Amino acid sequence: MWTLSGFADEISSDLDEQIDVVTDLGLKYIEFRTAWDKSVLDLDPDELQRARSALDAAGLKVSSIGSPIGKIRISDDNGPHLERMQHALDVATFFEAPYIRIFSYFIPEDENPDDHRDEVITRMRDLVALAEGTGITLIHENEKEIYGDIPRRCHELVRAIDSPALKLTWDNANFVQCGVHPFSEGYDLLSPDVVYLQVKDARFADSVVVPAGEGDGEFRESMRAFAADGFEGFASLEPHLQIGHALGGFSGPENWRRAHAAFVRVLQEEGIAYA
């Protein structure tokens, strides 16, 4: 059984509208990234309580904190970022979220990411150390312009750090935007460490994000393989159908519904049980 979740902030900046749409679609979880135009990590205590109360009243839980941890330049001071990581853990605990999404640092466009391997691993190990023993798992998302953009480097990260507190989330569209055929070039290498899915697709021709199964991301092949291998976890809609940028994206209510319908269609046609 797969559990649907999603970045509800792509529906609206208003949390109440986010809740209205996802509950109408029958979801029981969201991936909490922003509300009221603020990162979840920047909400003050009153706003955090307001958000928790609204989610509780709607019967919604948080699958993951959609944090921007690791989305700083590799040359930036990591000290303040470690403090932000600790705060992210506190926020995840507050929402009883089992996961926090993280990234592996922006690499200058004109530099080889492999030249920064040791520094990235050192920084990532420091982030992971904070999570160890908390019961919260950090999930690294493959993303363009960071160190862990392609399958080989994603694999290197989890193997080098070798901690149960660090796993992978899988994003077909992001691999396409890095010139990777996700299933053909990444599934066998990464699937043993994938515990969470970010649901979107994309086209090679123009890197535009499209609904699940409508792009070049070998989306059906990937989902079919995860199901065959016994994946049971969260599949989180991240449509990016209207605006996509380095720190997130936006789709609007109707596009979010369209993305949900496309993914559900794939699940139904592939015979994958979901809730």
Side-chain angles (χ1 to χ4, degrees), residues 72-194:
I72 62 171
R73 293 172 298 185
I74 190 61
S75 58
D76 290 343
D77 183 2
N78 205 43
H81 215 52
L82 291 176
E83 295 178 10
R84 193 156 174 79
M85 178 75 257
Q86 183 58 62
H87 178 60
L89 289 162
D90 293 340
V91 170
T93 299
F94 178 76
F95 285 106
E96 301 181 55
Y99 298 108
I100 299 174
R101 182 189 65 159
I102 65 169
F103 302 87
S104 51
Y105 299 90
F106 287 124
I107 305 299
E109 185 177 357
D110 59 347
E111 297 181 18
N112 184 348
D114 291 318
D115 292 340
H116 296 277
R117 179 183 185 277
D118 291 346
E119 178 64 19
V120 169
I121 289 173
T122 295
R123 290 178 174 224
M124 293 289 288
R125 188 174 284 124
D126 289 342
L127 295 175
V128 173
L130 293 174
E132 289 176 336
T134 66
I136 297 167
T137 302
L138 307 186
I139 45 175
H140 175 270
E141 180 177 342
N142 56 287
E143 171 74 284
K144 59 184 179 295
E145 301 176 5
I146 64 170
Y147 177 83
D149 55 351
I150 60 174
R152 173 178 61 81
R153 285 193 283 266
C154 292
H155 185 254
E156 287 176 357
L157 283 174
V158 289
R159 293 279 66 83
I161 294 169
D162 190 25
S163 169
L166 178 66
K167 295 295 181 180
L168 300 176
T169 181
W170 170 279
D171 189 310
N172 292 73
N174 288 353
F175 277 137
V176 168
Q177 291 177 334
C178 294
V180 171
H181 293 84
F183 177 72
S184 302
E185 300 176 50
Y187 184 84
D188 288 343
L189 185 65
L190 299 182
S191 59
D193 293 300
V194 172

Side-chain angles (χ1 to χ4, degrees), residues 240-260:
H240 278 23
L241 293 181
Q242 187 168 327
I243 301 170
H245 50 79
L247 297 180
F250 184 76
S251 296
E254 293 312 309
N255 277 330
W256 213 94
R257 289 177 184 275
R258 182 161 68 97
H260 175 270

Side-chain angles (χ1 to χ4, degrees), residues 172-173 199-203 209-223 258-259 261-267 269-270:
N172 292 73
V199 178
K200 60 183 186 285
D201 204 344
R203 299 189 299 242
V209 174
V210 295
E214 298 181 15
D216 301 313
E218 300 178 318
F219 191 86
R220 285 179 179 272
E221 295 92 331
S222 302
M223 299 304 106
R258 182 161 68 97
F263 183 47
V264 166
R265 182 166 55 252
V266 171
L267 295 177
E269 291 176 356
E270 295 297 331

